[in-house]
Amino acid sequence: RPAPHRRPAVDLPPLLPPVASRPGGVPPRDLSPITAARADIAAGRVSARTLVEEALEAAAAHASLGGVVELLPERARAEADARDLEAAACPEAVRRPLHGVPVTVKDVIDVAGAVTRAGSAAYEEHPARDAEAVARLRAAGAVVLGKVATHEFALGVTTPQARNPHDPSRIPGGSSGGSAIAVATGAGLASLGTDTRASIRVPPALCGLVGFKPTYGVVPTAGVVTLSWTMDHVAPIASTVTDAALMLEALSDRYAGLSTWAGAPVDGVSVGVPEAAFAGAQPGVAAAVRRAVATLGDLGCAVREASRPDGLDLERANACGMVVSRAEAVTYHLGLGLDRDLYWEEVADQLDEAERLTAVDYLTAQRMRAELTEALAAQLAAVDVLAMPTSPVVAPPVEDFAEYLTVLSRNAIPWSLVGFPVVTVPCGVAEDDLPVGLQLVTLPGREPVLVALGCALEAALGDARRPPMPLR
Protein backbone atom coordinates (compact mmCIF):
# COMPACT_ATOMS: atom_id res chain seq x y z
CA ARG A 1 0.00 0.00 0.00
CA PRO A 2 1.16 3.56 -0.65
CA ALA A 3 1.86 6.01 2.13
CA PRO A 4 -1.36 7.12 3.90
CA HIS A 5 -0.96 10.78 2.94
CA ARG A 6 -0.55 10.06 -0.76
CA ARG A 7 -3.18 11.53 -3.09
CA PRO A 8 -4.09 9.65 -6.31
CA ALA A 9 -2.09 12.07 -8.42
CA VAL A 10 -0.80 11.11 -11.85
CA ASP A 11 1.19 14.27 -12.53
CA LEU A 12 4.47 13.93 -14.39
CA PRO A 13 7.60 15.71 -13.25
CA PRO A 14 7.86 19.13 -14.89
CA LEU A 15 8.42 18.82 -18.64
CA LEU A 16 11.88 20.19 -19.26
CA PRO A 17 12.17 23.05 -21.79
CA PRO A 18 12.84 21.97 -25.38
CA VAL A 19 16.54 21.48 -25.97
CA ALA A 20 17.91 23.65 -28.76
CA SER A 21 18.84 21.88 -31.97
CA ARG A 22 22.39 20.63 -31.80
CA PRO A 23 23.92 19.87 -35.19
CA GLY A 24 25.53 16.46 -34.99
CA GLY A 25 27.43 14.28 -37.36
CA VAL A 26 25.39 13.17 -40.36
CA PRO A 27 24.44 9.50 -39.83
CA PRO A 28 25.63 7.09 -42.52
CA ARG A 29 22.98 6.74 -45.21
CA ASP A 30 22.52 3.05 -44.49
CA LEU A 31 21.64 3.90 -40.90
CA SER A 32 18.77 6.20 -41.90
CA PRO A 33 16.55 4.94 -44.72
CA ILE A 34 14.26 7.98 -44.45
CA THR A 35 17.16 10.42 -44.71
CA ALA A 36 18.47 8.50 -47.73
CA ALA A 37 15.03 8.42 -49.37
CA ARG A 38 14.52 12.16 -48.96
CA ALA A 39 17.97 12.86 -50.39
CA ASP A 40 17.27 10.60 -53.36
CA ILE A 41 13.93 12.29 -54.03
CA ALA A 42 15.54 15.73 -53.81
CA ALA A 43 18.29 14.70 -56.23
CA GLY A 44 15.87 13.07 -58.65
CA ARG A 45 17.41 9.62 -58.20
CA VAL A 46 14.12 8.13 -57.10
CA SER A 47 10.48 9.20 -56.99
CA ALA A 48 7.97 8.98 -54.18
CA ARG A 49 5.86 6.86 -56.54
CA THR A 50 8.71 4.35 -56.84
CA LEU A 51 9.04 4.13 -53.07
CA VAL A 52 5.33 3.49 -52.75
CA GLU A 53 5.34 0.80 -55.44
CA GLU A 54 8.25 -0.95 -53.72
CA ALA A 55 6.44 -0.83 -50.38
CA LEU A 56 3.22 -2.18 -51.89
CA GLU A 57 5.17 -5.04 -53.50
CA ALA A 58 6.81 -5.83 -50.15
CA ALA A 59 3.43 -5.89 -48.42
CA ALA A 60 2.10 -8.34 -50.99
CA ALA A 61 5.23 -10.51 -50.86
CA HIS A 62 4.98 -10.93 -47.08
CA ALA A 63 1.21 -11.06 -46.69
CA SER A 64 1.47 -14.48 -45.02
CA LEU A 65 2.97 -12.84 -41.93
CA GLY A 66 -0.33 -11.10 -41.27
CA GLY A 67 1.19 -7.69 -40.70
CA VAL A 68 -0.84 -5.60 -43.15
CA VAL A 69 -4.63 -5.73 -42.79
CA GLU A 70 -5.74 -3.09 -45.32
CA LEU A 71 -3.91 -1.39 -48.17
CA LEU A 72 -4.95 1.87 -49.85
CA PRO A 73 -2.98 1.48 -53.09
CA GLU A 74 -4.75 3.98 -55.32
CA ARG A 75 -4.83 6.71 -52.72
CA ALA A 76 -1.17 6.06 -51.85
CA ARG A 77 -0.17 6.28 -55.52
CA ALA A 78 -2.09 9.53 -55.92
CA GLU A 79 -0.43 10.99 -52.81
CA ALA A 80 3.00 9.90 -54.04
CA ASP A 81 2.41 11.53 -57.42
CA ALA A 82 1.41 14.73 -55.63
CA ARG A 83 4.64 14.62 -53.60
CA ASP A 84 6.65 14.23 -56.80
CA LEU A 85 4.89 17.21 -58.38
CA GLU A 86 5.59 19.25 -55.24
CA ALA A 87 9.27 18.30 -55.36
CA ALA A 88 9.51 19.34 -59.01
CA ALA A 89 7.69 22.62 -58.50
CA CYS A 90 9.20 23.60 -55.15
CA PRO A 91 12.46 21.99 -54.00
CA GLU A 92 11.85 23.44 -50.52
CA ALA A 93 8.98 20.96 -50.12
CA VAL A 94 11.49 18.10 -49.88
CA ARG A 95 12.85 19.61 -46.69
CA ARG A 96 9.80 18.40 -44.82
CA PRO A 97 10.86 15.55 -42.51
CA LEU A 98 8.85 12.83 -44.28
CA HIS A 99 8.43 14.10 -47.84
CA GLY A 100 7.46 11.17 -50.04
CA VAL A 101 8.08 8.59 -47.30
CA PRO A 102 5.65 5.62 -47.29
CA VAL A 103 4.33 4.73 -43.82
CA THR A 104 1.71 2.44 -42.31
CA VAL A 105 -0.70 3.02 -39.42
CA LYS A 106 -1.77 0.66 -36.63
CA ASP A 107 -5.39 -0.41 -36.83
CA VAL A 108 -6.49 1.39 -33.68
CA ILE A 109 -5.70 4.76 -35.28
CA ASP A 110 -8.18 6.39 -37.66
CA VAL A 111 -7.24 6.87 -41.30
CA ALA A 112 -9.84 8.57 -43.48
CA GLY A 113 -11.07 6.18 -46.17
CA ALA A 114 -9.94 3.07 -44.29
CA VAL A 115 -11.85 0.93 -41.82
CA THR A 116 -10.81 1.02 -38.16
CA ARG A 117 -11.37 -2.49 -36.78
CA ALA A 118 -8.93 -2.51 -33.84
CA GLY A 119 -8.16 -6.12 -34.72
CA SER A 120 -11.64 -7.19 -33.66
CA ALA A 121 -14.68 -8.82 -35.23
CA ALA A 122 -16.81 -6.77 -32.83
CA TYR A 123 -15.71 -3.28 -33.89
CA GLU A 124 -15.95 -1.44 -37.20
CA GLU A 125 -15.73 2.29 -37.78
CA HIS A 126 -15.48 4.24 -41.04
CA PRO A 127 -13.82 7.52 -40.01
CA ALA A 128 -14.37 10.56 -42.18
CA ARG A 129 -11.15 12.17 -41.00
CA ASP A 130 -7.65 11.19 -40.03
CA ALA A 131 -6.56 10.92 -36.42
CA GLU A 132 -4.61 14.03 -35.45
CA ALA A 133 -1.29 12.16 -35.51
CA VAL A 134 -1.98 10.80 -39.02
CA ALA A 135 -2.91 14.29 -40.23
CA ARG A 136 0.42 15.56 -38.91
CA LEU A 137 2.32 12.81 -40.75
CA ARG A 138 0.59 13.78 -43.99
CA ALA A 139 1.38 17.45 -43.38
CA ALA A 140 5.04 16.44 -43.02
CA GLY A 141 4.91 14.81 -46.46
CA ALA A 142 4.31 11.16 -45.56
CA VAL A 143 2.31 8.83 -47.80
CA VAL A 144 -0.02 6.47 -45.92
CA LEU A 145 -0.03 2.96 -47.43
CA GLY A 146 -2.66 1.40 -45.19
CA LYS A 147 -3.45 -0.20 -41.85
CA VAL A 148 -1.46 -2.86 -39.96
CA ALA A 149 -2.34 -5.54 -37.42
CA THR A 150 -2.84 -5.03 -33.71
CA HIS A 151 -3.53 -7.26 -30.74
CA GLU A 152 -7.30 -6.95 -30.35
CA PHE A 153 -8.12 -3.47 -29.00
CA ALA A 154 -4.37 -3.17 -28.19
CA LEU A 155 -5.07 -5.22 -25.05
CA GLY A 156 -2.01 -7.43 -25.15
CA VAL A 157 1.68 -7.71 -25.97
CA THR A 158 1.72 -10.65 -28.39
CA THR A 159 -0.38 -10.05 -31.59
CA PRO A 160 -0.69 -13.86 -31.86
CA GLN A 161 -2.56 -13.78 -35.19
CA ALA A 162 0.60 -12.39 -36.88
CA ARG A 163 4.09 -13.82 -37.30
CA ASN A 164 7.63 -12.67 -36.54
CA PRO A 165 9.50 -11.71 -39.73
CA HIS A 166 12.70 -13.39 -38.50
CA ASP A 167 10.98 -16.67 -37.62
CA PRO A 168 7.34 -17.20 -38.65
CA SER A 169 6.90 -19.84 -35.95
CA ARG A 170 7.13 -17.04 -33.37
CA ILE A 171 5.07 -14.00 -32.41
CA PRO A 172 6.05 -10.46 -33.42
CA GLY A 173 5.14 -8.97 -30.04
CA GLY A 174 2.31 -6.55 -29.48
CA SER A 175 0.18 -4.79 -29.52
CA SER A 176 1.88 -2.91 -32.39
CA GLY A 177 2.98 -6.18 -33.97
CA GLY A 178 1.79 -5.26 -37.46
CA SER A 179 3.81 -2.05 -37.37
CA ALA A 180 6.99 -4.00 -36.62
CA ILE A 181 6.29 -6.54 -39.37
CA ALA A 182 5.63 -3.79 -41.92
CA VAL A 183 8.89 -1.97 -41.20
CA ALA A 184 10.96 -5.15 -41.02
CA THR A 185 9.69 -6.35 -44.40
CA GLY A 186 9.88 -3.02 -46.22
CA ALA A 187 6.15 -2.33 -46.36
CA GLY A 188 6.90 1.31 -45.60
CA LEU A 189 9.91 3.01 -44.03
CA ALA A 190 8.18 3.61 -40.69
CA SER A 191 4.90 2.91 -38.93
CA LEU A 192 2.68 4.76 -36.50
CA GLY A 193 1.69 2.69 -33.47
CA THR A 194 0.52 3.10 -29.90
CA ASP A 195 1.92 2.23 -26.48
CA THR A 196 -0.06 1.81 -23.26
CA ARG A 197 1.91 -0.83 -21.40
CA ALA A 198 4.70 -1.88 -23.77
CA SER A 199 3.34 -1.84 -27.29
CA ILE A 200 5.83 0.44 -29.04
CA ARG A 201 8.83 -1.33 -27.49
CA VAL A 202 8.18 -5.07 -27.27
CA PRO A 203 7.49 -5.58 -31.02
CA PRO A 204 10.64 -3.69 -32.12
CA ALA A 205 12.72 -5.56 -29.54
CA LEU A 206 11.46 -8.91 -30.83
CA CYS A 207 11.83 -7.89 -34.49
CA GLY A 208 15.17 -6.01 -34.47
CA LEU A 209 13.81 -2.46 -34.85
CA VAL A 210 13.58 0.88 -33.04
CA GLY A 211 10.53 1.98 -31.06
CA PHE A 212 10.47 5.48 -29.57
CA LYS A 213 7.82 6.25 -26.93
CA PRO A 214 7.73 10.00 -26.28
CA THR A 215 6.82 11.80 -23.08
CA TYR A 216 3.16 11.20 -22.20
CA GLY A 217 0.79 13.80 -23.66
CA VAL A 218 3.16 15.38 -26.17
CA VAL A 219 1.75 13.53 -29.20
CA PRO A 220 -2.07 13.80 -29.46
CA THR A 221 -4.25 10.70 -29.15
CA ALA A 222 -7.36 12.18 -30.79
CA GLY A 223 -8.76 9.68 -33.27
CA VAL A 224 -7.27 6.65 -31.52
CA VAL A 225 -9.38 3.81 -30.08
CA THR A 226 -8.93 4.26 -26.34
CA LEU A 227 -7.27 1.63 -24.20
CA SER A 228 -6.29 3.67 -21.13
CA TRP A 229 -6.65 7.44 -21.33
CA THR A 230 -4.03 8.09 -18.64
CA MET A 231 -1.47 5.75 -20.21
CA ASP A 232 -2.07 5.79 -23.99
CA HIS A 233 0.78 7.11 -26.18
CA VAL A 234 1.05 7.46 -29.95
CA ALA A 235 4.56 6.70 -31.19
CA PRO A 236 6.67 5.49 -34.14
CA ILE A 237 8.45 2.27 -35.05
CA ALA A 238 11.30 2.57 -37.55
CA SER A 239 14.53 0.93 -38.69
CA THR A 240 16.80 3.43 -36.96
CA VAL A 241 16.81 6.00 -34.18
CA THR A 242 17.19 8.85 -36.67
CA ASP A 243 14.13 7.70 -38.59
CA ALA A 244 12.10 7.44 -35.38
CA ALA A 245 13.24 10.95 -34.45
CA LEU A 246 12.13 12.25 -37.85
CA MET A 247 8.71 10.72 -37.23
CA LEU A 248 8.51 12.46 -33.85
CA GLU A 249 9.50 15.76 -35.48
CA ALA A 250 6.43 15.39 -37.66
CA LEU A 251 4.18 14.40 -34.75
CA SER A 252 4.88 17.36 -32.45
CA ASP A 253 6.43 20.83 -32.68
CA ARG A 254 8.01 19.95 -29.36
CA TYR A 255 10.44 17.72 -31.27
CA ALA A 256 11.62 20.21 -33.89
CA GLY A 257 15.28 19.47 -34.60
CA LEU A 258 15.28 16.22 -32.63
CA SER A 259 17.00 14.29 -35.43
CA THR A 260 19.92 16.73 -35.43
CA TRP A 261 21.08 15.05 -32.24
CA ALA A 262 22.08 12.01 -34.29
CA GLY A 263 25.86 11.98 -34.19
CA ALA A 264 26.12 14.27 -31.16
CA PRO A 265 28.91 13.25 -28.73
CA VAL A 266 27.90 11.07 -25.80
CA ASP A 267 31.05 11.16 -23.70
CA GLY A 268 30.22 12.08 -20.14
CA VAL A 269 26.58 10.95 -20.33
CA SER A 270 25.82 8.99 -17.16
CA VAL A 271 24.06 5.66 -17.68
CA GLY A 272 22.51 3.76 -14.77
CA VAL A 273 21.97 0.00 -14.99
CA PRO A 274 19.29 -1.45 -12.67
CA GLU A 275 20.22 -5.07 -11.98
CA ALA A 276 16.62 -5.98 -11.13
CA ALA A 277 15.73 -5.57 -14.81
CA PHE A 278 17.96 -8.56 -15.66
CA ALA A 279 16.18 -10.94 -13.26
CA GLY A 280 14.90 -13.98 -15.14
CA ALA A 281 16.34 -12.83 -18.46
CA GLN A 282 17.43 -15.48 -20.92
CA PRO A 283 21.24 -15.79 -20.82
CA GLY A 284 21.66 -14.60 -24.40
CA VAL A 285 19.45 -11.58 -23.82
CA ALA A 286 21.34 -10.56 -20.69
CA ALA A 287 24.69 -11.03 -22.44
CA ALA A 288 23.69 -8.96 -25.48
CA VAL A 289 22.40 -6.10 -23.35
CA ARG A 290 25.49 -6.10 -21.12
CA ARG A 291 27.73 -5.98 -24.21
CA ALA A 292 25.75 -3.01 -25.50
CA VAL A 293 26.06 -1.22 -22.15
CA ALA A 294 29.81 -1.91 -22.18
CA THR A 295 29.91 -0.38 -25.67
CA LEU A 296 28.33 2.77 -24.27
CA GLY A 297 31.15 2.82 -21.72
CA ASP A 298 33.69 2.49 -24.54
CA LEU A 299 32.05 5.52 -26.19
CA GLY A 300 32.77 7.60 -23.11
CA CYS A 301 29.58 7.21 -21.11
CA ALA A 302 29.87 6.95 -17.34
CA VAL A 303 28.23 3.59 -16.62
CA ARG A 304 27.24 2.73 -13.06
CA GLU A 305 24.76 0.56 -11.21
CA ALA A 306 21.37 2.11 -10.46
CA SER A 307 19.36 1.15 -7.40
CA ARG A 308 15.96 1.89 -8.98
CA PRO A 309 13.86 0.42 -10.35
CA ASP A 310 14.38 -2.50 -8.01
CA GLY A 311 12.44 -5.74 -8.01
CA LEU A 312 9.64 -4.33 -5.89
CA ASP A 313 9.34 -1.29 -8.18
CA LEU A 314 8.91 -3.58 -11.16
CA GLU A 315 6.29 -5.68 -9.37
CA ARG A 316 4.36 -2.60 -8.26
CA ALA A 317 4.56 -0.98 -11.68
CA ASN A 318 3.23 -4.09 -13.37
CA ALA A 319 0.41 -4.45 -10.85
CA CYS A 320 -0.52 -0.77 -11.04
CA GLY A 321 -0.23 -0.73 -14.81
CA MET A 322 -2.57 -3.70 -15.13
CA VAL A 323 -5.13 -2.27 -12.71
CA VAL A 324 -5.15 1.25 -14.19
CA SER A 325 -5.14 0.23 -17.85
CA ARG A 326 -7.73 -2.53 -17.47
CA ALA A 327 -10.06 -0.44 -15.29
CA GLU A 328 -9.98 2.36 -17.83
CA ALA A 329 -10.30 -0.11 -20.73
CA VAL A 330 -13.40 -1.81 -19.36
CA THR A 331 -14.98 1.58 -18.64
CA TYR A 332 -14.45 2.52 -22.29
CA HIS A 333 -15.74 -0.82 -23.56
CA LEU A 334 -18.88 -0.66 -21.43
CA GLY A 335 -19.56 2.63 -23.16
CA LEU A 336 -19.11 1.04 -26.59
CA GLY A 337 -21.72 -1.58 -25.79
CA LEU A 338 -20.24 -4.20 -28.12
CA ASP A 339 -20.96 -7.93 -28.09
CA ARG A 340 -18.17 -9.28 -25.92
CA ASP A 341 -18.85 -12.80 -27.18
CA LEU A 342 -17.15 -11.68 -30.39
CA TYR A 343 -13.96 -10.65 -28.56
CA TRP A 344 -10.91 -12.89 -28.32
CA GLU A 345 -11.24 -15.09 -25.23
CA GLU A 346 -8.04 -13.68 -23.71
CA VAL A 347 -9.18 -10.06 -24.23
CA ALA A 348 -12.68 -10.73 -22.94
CA ASP A 349 -11.20 -12.38 -19.85
CA GLN A 350 -9.14 -9.26 -19.12
CA LEU A 351 -12.22 -7.05 -19.32
CA ASP A 352 -14.37 -9.46 -17.31
CA GLU A 353 -11.73 -9.49 -14.59
CA ALA A 354 -11.50 -5.70 -14.67
CA GLU A 355 -15.23 -5.38 -14.00
CA ARG A 356 -14.56 -6.91 -10.58
CA LEU A 357 -12.11 -4.15 -9.62
CA THR A 358 -13.35 -1.64 -7.07
CA ALA A 359 -12.93 2.12 -6.97
CA VAL A 360 -10.59 1.57 -4.03
CA ASP A 361 -8.41 -0.75 -6.17
CA TYR A 362 -8.18 1.86 -8.91
CA LEU A 363 -7.43 4.76 -6.57
CA THR A 364 -4.88 2.74 -4.62
CA ALA A 365 -3.10 1.93 -7.90
CA GLN A 366 -3.10 5.62 -8.82
CA ARG A 367 -1.63 6.54 -5.43
CA MET A 368 1.11 3.96 -5.82
CA ARG A 369 1.67 5.23 -9.36
CA ALA A 370 2.39 8.68 -7.98
CA GLU A 371 4.93 7.25 -5.53
CA LEU A 372 6.65 5.31 -8.30
CA THR A 373 6.80 8.41 -10.49
CA GLU A 374 8.56 10.37 -7.77
CA ALA A 375 10.98 7.53 -6.96
CA LEU A 376 11.96 6.90 -10.58
CA ALA A 377 12.29 10.62 -11.28
CA ALA A 378 14.66 10.87 -8.33
CA GLN A 379 16.78 8.06 -9.76
CA LEU A 380 16.92 9.86 -13.12
CA ALA A 381 18.01 13.03 -11.37
CA ALA A 382 21.13 11.08 -10.35
CA VAL A 383 21.89 9.65 -13.81
CA ASP A 384 21.03 10.91 -17.29
CA VAL A 385 19.66 7.63 -18.62
CA LEU A 386 18.68 4.16 -17.38
CA ALA A 387 19.61 1.14 -19.54
CA MET A 388 18.08 -2.34 -19.35
CA PRO A 389 16.69 -5.18 -21.48
CA THR A 390 13.52 -4.12 -23.28
CA SER A 391 12.17 -7.63 -22.90
CA PRO A 392 13.88 -10.36 -20.84
CA VAL A 393 13.21 -12.96 -23.55
CA VAL A 394 13.39 -13.27 -27.33
CA ALA A 395 10.24 -13.78 -29.41
CA PRO A 396 8.33 -16.77 -27.99
CA PRO A 397 6.78 -19.52 -30.14
CA VAL A 398 3.24 -18.80 -31.29
CA GLU A 399 1.81 -21.81 -29.42
CA ASP A 400 3.26 -20.51 -26.13
CA PHE A 401 2.18 -16.88 -26.45
CA ALA A 402 -0.24 -16.98 -23.50
CA GLU A 403 2.60 -17.84 -21.11
CA TYR A 404 4.37 -14.55 -21.84
CA LEU A 405 1.63 -11.95 -21.36
CA THR A 406 3.37 -10.39 -18.35
CA VAL A 407 6.95 -11.56 -18.97
CA LEU A 408 7.38 -9.64 -22.23
CA SER A 409 6.23 -6.33 -20.77
CA ARG A 410 7.78 -6.51 -17.29
CA ASN A 411 10.56 -3.98 -17.98
CA ALA A 412 8.40 -1.81 -20.23
CA ILE A 413 5.22 -1.12 -18.25
CA PRO A 414 6.88 1.17 -15.68
CA TRP A 415 7.72 3.80 -18.29
CA SER A 416 4.23 3.96 -19.77
CA LEU A 417 2.81 4.12 -16.27
CA VAL A 418 4.97 7.10 -15.30
CA GLY A 419 4.98 8.61 -18.80
CA PHE A 420 8.75 8.97 -19.23
CA PRO A 421 10.29 8.91 -22.72
CA VAL A 422 12.03 5.71 -23.74
CA VAL A 423 13.61 4.21 -26.84
CA THR A 424 14.36 0.58 -27.61
CA VAL A 425 17.35 -0.07 -29.86
CA PRO A 426 18.41 -3.43 -31.34
CA CYS A 427 21.62 -4.50 -29.64
CA GLY A 428 22.44 -8.00 -30.88
CA VAL A 429 21.06 -11.51 -31.07
CA ALA A 430 20.43 -14.18 -28.47
CA GLU A 431 18.77 -17.58 -28.33
CA ASP A 432 18.01 -18.99 -31.82
CA ASP A 433 19.68 -15.95 -33.43
CA LEU A 434 16.69 -13.75 -32.62
CA PRO A 435 16.87 -9.99 -31.96
CA VAL A 436 17.42 -8.38 -28.57
CA GLY A 437 16.44 -4.83 -27.60
CA LEU A 438 18.17 -2.39 -25.24
CA GLN A 439 15.79 0.04 -23.53
CA LEU A 440 17.01 3.56 -22.71
CA VAL A 441 14.90 5.77 -20.41
CA THR A 442 15.19 9.41 -19.38
CA LEU A 443 13.16 12.22 -17.80
CA PRO A 444 10.29 13.97 -19.61
CA GLY A 445 11.63 16.39 -22.21
CA ARG A 446 15.09 14.84 -22.50
CA GLU A 447 14.47 12.91 -25.71
CA PRO A 448 17.59 14.41 -27.39
CA VAL A 449 19.91 12.39 -25.14
CA LEU A 450 18.08 9.22 -26.22
CA VAL A 451 18.67 10.11 -29.87
CA ALA A 452 22.36 10.79 -29.27
CA LEU A 453 22.91 7.58 -27.30
CA GLY A 454 20.83 5.41 -29.60
CA CYS A 455 22.57 6.65 -32.75
CA ALA A 456 26.00 6.25 -31.17
CA LEU A 457 25.18 2.67 -30.26
CA GLU A 458 23.86 1.92 -33.76
CA ALA A 459 27.06 3.23 -35.33
CA ALA A 460 29.26 1.32 -32.89
CA LEU A 461 27.45 -2.01 -33.25
CA GLY A 462 26.90 -1.80 -37.00
CA ASP A 463 25.54 -4.99 -38.56
CA ALA A 464 25.93 -6.84 -35.25
CA ARG A 465 23.02 -4.92 -33.73
CA ARG A 466 20.41 -7.23 -35.29
CA PRO A 467 20.04 -10.27 -37.55
CA PRO A 468 20.24 -9.68 -41.30
CA MET A 469 17.04 -8.33 -42.83
CA PRO A 470 16.77 -10.63 -45.86
CA LEU A 471 13.06 -9.99 -46.11
CA ARG A 472 13.36 -6.65 -47.87
Side-chain angles (χ1 to χ4, degrees):
R1 295 223 173 244
H5 65 275
R6 172 64 59 188
R7 294 184 300 110
V10 293
D11 295 336
L12 285 172
L15 187 63
L16 299 173
V19 182
S21 297
R22 188 189 195 291
V26 178
R29 287 166 59 86
D30 64 337
L31 286 182
S32 179
I34 290 178
T35 299
R38 288 170 54 211
D40 287 344
I41 290 173
R45 291 186 292 267
V46 73
S47 65
R49 177 64 177 267
T50 298
L51 294 177
V52 165
E53 294 295 349
E54 291 174 350
L56 290 171
E57 289 174 7
H62 301 289
S64 62
L65 296 176
V68 178
V69 296
E70 182 179 5
L71 287 173
L72 304 170
E74 296 311 313
R75 180 173 181 180
R77 290 181 177 115
E79 289 183 3
D81 290 344
R83 299 294 179 268
D84 288 332
L85 289 173
E86 290 169 357
C90 179
E92 286 293 308
V94 185
R95 298 182 65 179
R96 292 185 295 178
L98 302 176
H99 185 90
V101 173
V103 301
T104 56
V105 177
K106 182 178 178 179
D107 190 26
V108 292
I109 305 173
D110 286 346
V111 172
V115 183
T116 302
R117 294 186 173 88
S120 178
Y123 186 87
E124 184 175 310
E125 291 291 332
H126 298 261
R129 58 188 297 178
D130 290 332
E132 178 61 25
V134 174
R136 292 183 181 190
L137 292 184
R138 290 195 202 273
V143 176
V144 177
L145 289 178
K147 307 292 286 293
V148 290
T150 175
H151 200 110
E152 188 180 39
F153 292 114
L155 258 166
V157 292
T158 57
T159 322
Q161 78 276 27
R163 299 295 179 263
N164 192 293
H166 293 282
D167 180 350
S169 72
R170 297 171 183 265
I171 61 168
S175 61
S176 304
S179 291
I181 294 168
V183 176
T185 57
L189 297 183
S191 188
L192 188 66
T194 63
D195 186 307
T196 301
R197 299 197 292 238
S199 299
I200 213 69
R201 289 158 288 151
V202 168
L206 302 190
C207 295
L209 299 167
V210 171
F212 203 143
K213 185 192 79 63
T215 300
Y216 174 78
V218 175
V219 177
T221 57
V224 178
V225 178
T226 299
L227 172 51
S228 170
W229 55 85
T230 67
M231 291 175 65
D232 288 346
H233 300 67
V234 173
I237 291 175
S239 294
T240 69
V241 175
T242 300
D243 285 357
L246 287 166
M247 288 282 283
L248 286 176
E249 286 182 10
L251 290 168
S252 174
D253 292 341
R254 168 90 195 181
Y255 297 122
L258 183 62
S259 64
T260 67
W261 284 76
V266 297
D267 52 300
V269 174
S270 56
V271 177
V273 182
E275 284 300 312
F278 290 84
Q282 291 173 333
V285 171
V289 171
R290 291 193 190 280
R291 283 194 299 270
V293 171
T295 299
L296 291 176
D298 295 339
L299 293 170
C301 296
V303 178
R304 67 189 72 162
E305 186 174 343
S307 60
R308 311 289 290 268
D310 58 23
L312 186 57
D313 291 334
L314 293 174
E315 287 181 18
R316 287 175 170 171
N318 277 267
C320 291
M322 291 291 187
V323 169
V324 171
S325 63
R326 289 180 178 180
E328 293 178 358
V330 75
T331 302
Y332 175 75
H333 280 262
L334 288 170
L336 290 176
L338 302 176
D339 182 357
R340 204 174 291 176
D341 288 340
L342 297 176
Y343 288 23
W344 297 0
E345 181 179 1
E346 168 238 320
V347 172
D349 286 347
Q350 289 187 64
L351 297 175
D352 291 345
E353 184 69 24
E355 287 196 63
R356 292 189 279 274
L357 291 168
T358 68
V360 172
D361 295 328
Y362 178 76
L363 291 173
T364 299
Q366 294 287 29
R367 293 167 70 211
M368 191 170 287
R369 180 184 192 179
E371 285 191 353
L372 282 165
T373 301
E374 287 185 5
L376 296 173
Q379 175 64 81
L380 280 162
V383 294
D384 296 314
V385 170
L386 292 172
M388 68 200 75
T390 307
S391 172
V393 298
V394 297
V398 172
E399 62 270 20
D400 298 334
F401 83 92
E403 299 175 23
Y404 291 88
L405 298 180
T406 57
V407 174
L408 287 167
S409 59
R410 185 197 68 187
N411 290 349
I413 283 183
W415 315 113
S416 293
L417 182 69
V418 302
F420 294 2
V422 52
V423 65
T424 178
V425 183
C427 67
V429 297
E431 284 73 9
D432 299 312
D433 292 326
L434 290 169
V436 176
L438 169 70
Q439 189 172 223
L440 301 170
V441 186
T442 192
L443 283 173
R446 288 186 177 172
E447 283 85 342
V449 71
L450 300 181
V451 174
L453 279 179
C455 288
L457 190 62
E458 286 177 334
L461 295 178
D463 291 340
R465 71 190 190 278
R466 60 185 170 207
M469 297 292 236
L471 302 174
R472 295 192 178 188

